[in-house]
Amino acid sequence: MEYNFKEIEKKWQQFWKDQKIYEVDIDKNRPKYYVLDMFPYPSGAGLHVGHPLGYIASDIFSRYKRSSGYNVLHPMGFDAYGLPAEQYAIQTGQHPAITTEINIKRYREQLDKIGFSYDWNREVKTCDPKYYKWTQWAFIQMFHHYYDNKANKALPIKELIKQFETSGTKDVDAACTKELSFTAEEWLNMSEKEQQEVLLNYRIAYLADTMVNWCPKLGTVLANDEVKDGVSIRGGYPVEQKVMRQWSLRISAYAERLLEGLDTIDWSDSLKEIQRNWIGRSEGAEIIFPVKDSDVEMKIFTTRADTIFGVTFMVLAPESELVGKIVTSEQKAEVDKYITDTKKRTERERLSEVKKMTGVFSGAYAINPLNNKEVPIWISDYVLAGYGTGAIMAVPAHDSRDFAFARTFNLPIIQVVVPEGEEPADVSQWDDAKDSKEGYLINSGFLNGLKVPEAIERTKEFIREKKIGDVKVNYRLRDAIFSRQRYWGEPFPVYYKDGMPYTLDESELPLELPEIDKYLPTEKGEPPLGRAKNWKTKDGYPLELNTMPGFAGSSAYFLRYMDPHNDQALVSTEANQYWQDVDLYIGGTEHATGHLIYARFWNKFLYDLGVVCKPEPFRKLVNQGMIQGRSNFVYRIKGTNTFVSYNLKKDYDVTPIHVDISLVHNDILDIEAFKKWSPEYKDAEFVLEEGNKYVCGWAVEKMSKSMFNVVNPDNIIEQYGADTLRLYEMFLGPLEQSKPWDTNGIDGVHKFLRKTWRLFTDREGKLLVSDDKPNRDELKILHRTIAKVTEDIERFSFNTCVSAFMICVNQLSELKCHKREILEPLLILISPFAPHITEELWHLLGHTSSIIDAPWPKSDDQYLKDDTVVYPVSFNGKMRFKLEMPADAKKEELEKAALEHEAANKWLEGKTVRKVIIVPGKIINIVVS
RNA sequence: GCCCGGAUGGUGGAAUUGGUAGACACGCAGGACUUAAAAUCCUGUGGCCAUUGCGGCUGUGCGGGUUCAAGUCCCGCUCCGGGUACCA
């Protein structure tokens, strides 16, 4: 009987399902281990071979941990809300819930065929009301909490109200949108509406007028991580800046904790670095510059307070509130025009014209508090309203943007830092600002002669003494815009009374997404929910029309898996205490600045509330590399329907066109199939090369439908089986590396499985396995494999595990070893990688329970050591011959044996031995000259 | 620009702490079995030179260095990939 993967895989997948093998529960007698995959967004295209890479790795690890005695939680679900389903709904009128359900079903079928050990009983879908009830619940909690900087955690907003009632803002130190100042009396005299407005300034989930990324084409605002290079990540549509009243989450309050937490978790350095950059902590000073002939003060943030004597002008962001207060009547017209002009520029235009400086003089002057000099205040969009105070002191000599601005508008430049080993230079000769990280100060009054770090300290002291500013830490991380003007997302549990937002009572959750007639904004320009009939509370108050963004549903799903059917809480204390946190999270690095920040924030908030017991949700995180596609091209001669083969194309003017890789084998085009592929090519003609072949070009690109290079796992499974797919994806190379999909090596791993099979049965299907005692050689092969594979799984080196299996099976085949004592442990080792074939053989050996619960074999040291060591003997570092010696040979014996070996003569002749280096068990190196 | 990765045969890759570079697999070449094919098995396979034999030289992107010994460590570059960018 040959290895029949089709029958075997179907049979055992059914068995696992029937026996509920993968369902887990709290078991206090066993340690827990939580292995999580980033759940997929179920797109219409289905899974391609890139998706399962991480899933296979995590599945191997889960099975390995389970076999090692852990109670393993390994769940899966679907990130089911999102833009593509809604865009599709707009085009077809089909309800996104229907397409989403169809796509999920297809994903599920594809996943099931690969043989994953998911506990599907714990499946979550973010669009399921039973699930999003808890997304809404968390939002309500955020609405009713504020961030207390003294306690350094979220506290109930009731506490803040109490403080307002007794002492106003006097002792309040809370994260807020705008610094407010009022007395208890003033607070008590405010109307309810005014009080609510004040509270929004402190709530962790708050509504405020903020500068947002507005994408007209998608008809919605986007968060910072959803925009790149001035266009939306989904769809690539232009994005502009606009002030809108939007929900935001005060994630910036957690910036420091999000940064510090990185030091406590086991993530790749690159991922941590991306998050650190995104959080963007910078230490500096806030300094107040009074405005001349006015009581307005200009507060600026700088990391280089020491260069303050080099300030020759100030710059305000066009959006800054100060602009209106300081602009002089003579300059007003010009300033207004500039502001209108900058508003019209899209984010993309701003970015593409980085080098071109624009700006306008405000007419006002600021006074440098250190030397009392007057400097002009300019307005320019190179200063961002959202960072720091939206105003800067410009030091053109040492900042290239300020330098460019000064040159454009002919403003003076004063050098204040001279780099080590240089002389003060003539600034008019410079073509860029001078680096000022190291050096000493000049033209700087009391700072003259000081080194940069000393000067920074002195300036800070001075600022504090004179009370003209303060030392301050700034973060780049902005609050997360949380509203989307979209249909297919979680509704906010919010209604409006007198224009102010209030949350629904928890008992009214979930607030279900209503049906609407069209998935488009209303005529009045309201979001799609404006079309819903009766979209109001039972008391008649209108409900929020925005929905939540994609990251809402994925921010706490890892907690829900711990207790997915609980309708009383997001997660019970008992379940959370047991499962605690994710021990291993595998997923792509593309979520570094989105999901992985939001989820950490969300978790920390719940930690502050005492809902969860761990401050960090993902203890270890491994990024799997991308599997890229290998695309093929045909070359059409411009203006014709004639295609020219790859090696002849240089003689023609051609356009490369992607061709579906299923029409190409080893880069040779199947011409007939190509003609049938599209009516456009029915009458195509071809210029062929030698052998009448049409050779295609190729490139490694992203795997995507539009490139016609998608490889579907179902086809591979059909041809080779799931076990081969699993092994091959691992064999391809290190998990974390990106690599193009190429089926060239797949025969090798398939052959390996057949070879493994043949250790157990002969051609007729008769079991060959015997109960004979294994000899030392066989035990050595086994135990070395156990040691190697165990170690390699622990360090996520799955590709080397596969080669270790191959070596082991090759050696056992050579020895014709069919002994149970060897083969049984070997099966267990292979089972996490190839669960189906090993389950079949396991049962053939007479077992009746699943191999997944067979205890992981332990290697025995006595088989790992050899009695002898084959020493490489080198002369001056070059290996010349090998010498077999007893493992316990002394250094002197080794030296003697090496020097007396006959092969050594040749290398010793006419030379003097200077030194002999012996590393026992490793190497002998003889230094001669 | 800045930050982080990476570069090893025809190909994917291995070498975990500085200690035999190229494991394992693909591909290729030759052979066995077979009427034939498939399947399977065996041999060879970095380059150059010598092949009558032992063998020798060279070789991990480039240039230098440390060391008895460097793919691995240090310095300087080149190229590729990723992140980020008027962040003061």
Side-chain angles (χ1 to χ4, degrees):
Chain A
M1 183 175 57
E2 272 295 305
Y3 166 44
N4 183 341
F5 56 84
K6 274 189 192 160
E7 226 168 76
I8 291 171
E9 292 180 356
K10 218 171 119 195
K11 170 168 136 199
W12 294 111
Q13 283 167 11
Q14 194 59 47
F15 173 85
W16 297 329
K17 201 170 152 192
D18 293 344
Q19 305 282 313
K20 299 185 169 33
I21 296 279
Y22 301 130
E23 287 187 20
V24 292
D25 237 312
I26 292 177
D27 174 358
K28 296 199 169 133
N29 296 316
R30 277 187 300 161
K32 69 96 188 187
Y33 201 90
Y34 187 176
V35 180
L36 184 64
D37 292 303
M38 289 184 183
F39 64 169
Y41 174 81
S43 78
L47 286 177
H48 65 63
V49 289
H51 293 111
L53 181 72
Y55 303 159
I56 294 169
S58 64
D59 198 58
I60 290 168
F61 206 79
S62 301
R63 290 171 182 271
Y64 161 72
K65 277 288 174 186
R66 175 155 172 184
S67 198
S68 307
Y70 289 85
N71 188 24
V72 178
L73 177 58
H74 187 39
M76 184 47 106
F78 297 96
D79 187 14
Y81 272 137
L83 280 176
E86 185 164 351
Q87 293 293 79
Y88 188 74
I90 291 168
Q91 284 162 26
T92 62
Q94 174 117 252
H95 196 291
I98 296 170
T99 39
T100 303
E101 209 41 57
I102 292 170
N103 292 347
I104 286 179
K105 196 163 163 271
R106 167 129 169 77
Y107 265 61
R108 177 66 195 276
E109 278 167 11
Q110 287 185 298
L111 290 170
D112 281 346
K113 272 197 228 163
I114 305 175
F116 290 123
S117 61
Y118 296 125
D119 177 358
W120 283 107
N121 189 35
R122 290 172 183 265
E123 174 182 10
V124 302
K125 296 176 198 165
T126 54
C127 65
D128 179 351
K130 288 200 207 76
Y131 176 83
Y132 68 68
K133 172 179 176 176
W134 300 105
T135 311
Q136 293 174 333
W137 172 84
F139 177 84
I140 291 176
Q141 304 309 311
M142 289 182 193
F143 184 83
H144 293 289
H145 283 77
Y146 77 104
Y147 198 87
D148 191 289
N149 289 326
K150 278 183 282 185
N152 205 15
K153 62 186 282 201
L155 292 178
I157 199 104
K158 278 185 280 182
E159 304 286 323
L160 188 67
I161 294 172
K162 254 190 250 163
Q163 285 195 53
F164 287 163
E165 284 168 352
T166 54
S167 52
T169 51
K170 196 158 65 78
D171 300 318
V172 171
D173 182 6
C176 56
T177 313
K178 220 192 259 175
E179 288 294 340
L180 297 179
S181 172
F182 52 79
T183 63
E185 203 187 355
E186 285 170 319
W187 167 259
L188 291 167
N189 284 330
M190 286 182 202
S191 67
E192 153 138 24
K193 188 173 174 174
E194 283 166 338
Q195 287 187 341
Q196 287 299 321
E197 190 69 52
V198 166
L199 291 176
L200 280 178
N201 189 52
Y202 295 93
R203 297 182 191 278
I204 287 177
Y206 65 94
L207 192 60
D209 290 317
T210 35
M211 188 65 72
V212 296
N213 304 302
W214 171 254
C215 180
K217 197 84 192 204
L218 291 172
T220 187
V221 304
L222 298 168
N224 279 343
D225 65 282
E226 292 169 316
V227 180
K228 218 195 139 189
D229 300 328
V231 298
S232 66
I233 288 190
R234 284 235 189 251
Y237 305 116
V239 167
E240 49 194 63
Q241 300 298 299
K242 198 172 164 183
V243 174
M244 284 177 79
R245 196 160 166 87
Q246 297 288 308
W247 285 104
S248 295
L249 302 185
R250 207 177 298 283
I251 185 171
S252 60
Y254 284 83
E256 189 62 37
R257 281 167 66 189
L258 288 170
L259 192 62
E260 283 168 0
L262 290 174
D263 297 331
T264 68
I265 49 184
D266 185 7
W267 293 16
S268 72
D269 290 336
S270 72
L271 192 58
K272 287 187 187 181
E273 208 48 39
I274 292 171
Q275 290 213 343
R276 283 194 192 106
N277 290 340
W278 189 259
I279 295 168
R281 183 183 200 273
S282 66
E283 236 172 87
E286 262 183 11
I287 305 174
I288 294 164
F289 283 64
V291 177
K292 190 189 162 198
D293 301 330
S294 147
D295 51 4
V296 177
E297 289 182 331
M298 210 173 145
K299 198 192 258 180
I300 57 98
F301 175 75
T302 176
T303 53
R304 291 300 304 275
D306 59 309
T307 60
I308 193 163
F309 286 91
V311 174
T312 55
F313 57 99
M314 309 290 285
V315 188
L316 276 177
E319 299 88 353
S320 170
E321 298 180 333
L322 287 183
V323 172
K325 293 185 187 161
I326 60 151
V327 66
T328 58
S329 44
E330 302 89 79
Q331 290 297 105
K332 191 163 190 319
E334 217 181 313
V335 168
D336 286 349
K337 183 175 180 299
Y338 180 70
I339 291 172
T340 335
D341 286 351
T342 47
K343 261 190 200 148
K344 275 194 216 132
R345 294 170 81 193
T346 64
E347 188 69 5
R348 188 151 52 175
E349 279 162 1
R350 263 179 90 147
L351 288 173
S352 61
E353 292 165 11
V354 162
K355 294 270 133 51
K356 224 168 80 194
M357 282 293 175
T358 62
V360 62
F361 178 46
S362 71
Y365 290 84
I367 297 163
N368 186 331
L370 265 82
N371 58 9
N372 294 318
K373 270 195 192 156
E374 287 176 17
V375 286
I377 303 172
W378 285 68
I379 293 155
S380 170
D381 66 357
Y382 89 88
V383 171
L384 302 177
Y387 183 78
T389 59
I392 63 151
M393 62 177 213
V395 184
H398 304 292
D399 180 288
S400 56
R401 295 154 303 178
D402 298 345
F403 184 89
F405 194 83
R407 277 286 154 88
T408 309
F409 295 100
N410 259 322
L411 294 159
I413 299 170
I414 304 173
Q415 183 178 17
V416 287
V417 177
V418 182
E420 218 58 61
E422 276 185 35
E423 294 293 314
D426 177 8
V427 292
S428 65
Q429 302 301 310
W430 295 3
D431 34 275
D432 200 355
K434 194 162 280 282
D435 185 78
S436 60
K437 284 191 203 80
E438 279 164 19
Y440 63 93
L441 279 281
I442 56 164
N443 298 329
S444 293
F446 68 94
L447 298 174
N448 277 341
L450 292 179
K451 291 243 170 83
V452 165
E454 297 159 5
I456 292 177
E457 278 317 301
R458 273 303 302 278
T459 320
K460 281 183 181 169
E461 278 166 32
F462 186 86
I463 290 165
R464 261 177 299 196
E465 276 167 30
K466 302 277 169 188
K467 295 214 163 43
I468 50 172
D470 209 352
V471 175
K472 176 106 199 248
V473 175
N474 241 310
Y475 300 91
R476 204 188 74 117
L477 183 71
R478 320 275 180 86
D479 287 344
I481 310 280
F482 203 61
S483 313
R484 296 293 178 273
Q485 292 68 41
R486 281 282 169 161
Y487 173 69
W488 193 230
E490 299 86 348
F492 282 83
V494 166
Y495 63 91
Y496 289 88
K497 194 166 89 185
D498 197 14
M500 295 310 295
Y502 293 85
T503 58
L504 295 177
D505 193 80
E506 275 176 39
S507 64
E508 292 173 81
L509 299 185
L511 173 64
E512 293 200 27
L513 190 63
E515 294 300 319
I516 55 174
D517 56 348
K518 266 201 275 188
Y519 306 100
L520 289 171
T522 64
E523 276 71 46
K524 282 188 282 174
E526 289 169 336
L529 288 192
R531 296 175 175 276
K533 292 202 183 78
N534 238 345
W535 190 236
K536 50 192 172 206
T537 65
K538 53 184 186 301
D539 302 322
Y541 294 112
L543 289 161
E544 170 70 57
L545 299 183
N546 287 298
T547 55
M548 297 187 194
F551 66 82
S554 57
S555 291
Y557 77 113
F558 51 92
L559 294 169
R560 190 63 183 163
Y561 281 138
M562 295 176 183
D563 197 6
H565 306 295
N566 191 334
D567 58 3
Q568 298 302 307
L570 166 65
V571 52
S572 72
T573 309
E574 192 203 6
N576 183 253
Q577 287 288 341
Y578 182 74
W579 297 111
Q580 307 237 338
D581 54 1
V582 175
D583 294 277
L584 174 66
Y585 196 15
I586 295 188
T589 164
E590 67 271 20
H591 297 108
T593 54
H595 161 63
L596 288 172
I597 290 247
Y598 296 125
R600 291 182 61 219
F601 153 71
W602 205 282
N603 186 79
K604 280 186 191 300
F605 171 72
L606 295 175
Y607 176 78
D608 286 352
L609 267 59
V611 173
V612 302
C613 63
K614 289 279 179 171
E616 285 291 339
F618 314 125
R619 189 192 297 263
K620 182 177 175 68
L621 189 140
V622 175
N623 292 123
Q624 90 270 21
M626 247 198 342
I627 290 203
Q628 295 142 316
R630 189 180 185 277
S631 318
N632 277 113
F633 297 93
V634 291
Y635 302 91
R636 182 164 63 192
I637 302 171
K638 278 190 182 150
T640 70
N641 202 14
T642 303
F643 294 82
V644 56
S645 186
Y646 179 76
N647 295 302
L648 305 171
K649 74 174 166 44
K650 56 183 179 296
D651 302 329
Y652 302 85
D653 188 13
V654 295
T655 319
I657 297 170
H658 278 95
V659 58
D660 196 303
I661 51 161
S662 67
L663 310 177
V664 181
H665 301 283
N666 296 326
D667 294 335
I668 310 293
L669 180 71
D670 180 338
I671 291 173
E672 289 313 308
F674 177 72
K675 285 181 174 173
K676 282 184 208 136
W677 185 40
S678 160
E680 191 186 340
Y681 305 132
K682 193 163 63 96
D683 303 313
E685 293 184 33
F686 300 88
V687 180
L688 304 176
E689 55 190 88
E690 258 175 82
N692 268 343
K693 281 192 247 173
Y694 188 97
V695 179
C696 298
W698 61 274
V700 171
E701 297 175 300
K702 201 177 138 122
M703 195 175 277
S704 96
K705 241 180 170 176
S706 62
M707 314 261 196
F708 299 110
N709 61 5
V710 174
V711 183
N712 181 298
D714 310 63
N715 297 343
I716 305 285
I717 290 172
E718 180 66 25
Q719 216 181 109
Y720 295 98
D723 285 337
T724 299
L725 174 77
R726 292 171 63 111
L727 275 170
Y728 184 57
E729 292 223 4
M730 292 300 103
F731 190 61
L732 226 39
L735 180 61
E736 304 188 31
Q737 222 166 72
S738 287
K739 51 232 153 189
W741 178 262
D742 189 335
T743 38
N744 281 342
I746 200 162
D747 283 327
V749 291
H750 190 66
K751 241 188 255 178
F752 156 75
L753 286 177
R754 285 205 302 256
K755 213 163 166 180
T756 307
W757 184 265
R758 283 199 304 273
L759 284 175
F760 291 77
T761 73
D762 66 12
R763 267 156 208 273
E764 280 72 49
K766 214 171 92 231
L767 203 62
L768 291 171
V769 179
S770 78
D771 288 324
D772 297 346
K773 280 280 154 209
N775 60 36
R776 189 171 162 82
D777 281 341
E778 292 161 341
L779 286 165
K780 264 172 146 174
I781 293 168
L782 173 70
H783 283 270
R784 274 156 207 231
T785 308
I786 295 172
K788 167 88 178 146
V789 170
T790 308
E791 210 178 297
D792 285 359
I793 291 179
E794 291 279 0
R795 62 186 181 102
F796 302 97
S797 175
F798 301 114
N799 55 328
T800 51
C801 291
V802 180
S803 45
F805 294 145
M806 288 172 169
I807 293 168
C808 179
V809 167
N810 285 347
Q811 289 176 336
L812 293 177
S813 301
E814 209 164 303
L815 294 175
K816 300 198 164 50
C817 171
H818 304 288
K819 296 168 184 167
R820 178 183 288 269
E821 265 182 63
I822 300 294
L823 296 182
E824 271 197 358
L826 176 63
L827 269 189
I828 301 170
L829 292 183
I830 302 175
S831 68
F833 294 76
H836 308 87
I837 186 175
T838 48
E839 189 81 279
E840 172 75 12
L841 293 170
W842 185 250
H843 284 76
L844 273 181
L845 291 182
H847 295 277
T848 50
S849 61
S850 173
I851 191 168
I852 197 172
D853 286 316
W856 193 254
K858 284 201 169 46
S859 63
D860 186 338
D861 281 348
Q862 65 162 306
Y863 301 116
L864 302 184
K865 288 187 293 244
D866 272 312
D867 305 334
T868 62
V869 177
V870 178
Y871 281 94
V873 181
S874 332
F875 290 80
N876 293 338
K878 284 202 172 86
M879 206 280 286
R880 295 304 178 183
F881 61 88
K882 285 173 185 170
L883 177 65
E884 186 168 1
M885 293 292 287
D888 56 359
K890 301 249 169 359
K891 274 195 178 186
E892 302 79 66
E893 294 171 65
L894 289 168
E895 180 171 339
K896 190 160 173 277
L899 291 171
E900 283 173 3
H901 195 272
E902 60 161 338
N905 292 333
K906 184 173 164 187
W907 304 101
L908 293 170
E909 218 166 273
K911 302 270 171 62
T912 321
V913 176
R914 297 283 171 204
K915 206 173 179 184
V916 179
I917 285 128
I918 292 167
V919 184
K922 281 262 165 75
I923 195 170
I924 299 170
N925 188 19
I926 299 164
V927 186
V928 294
S929 63

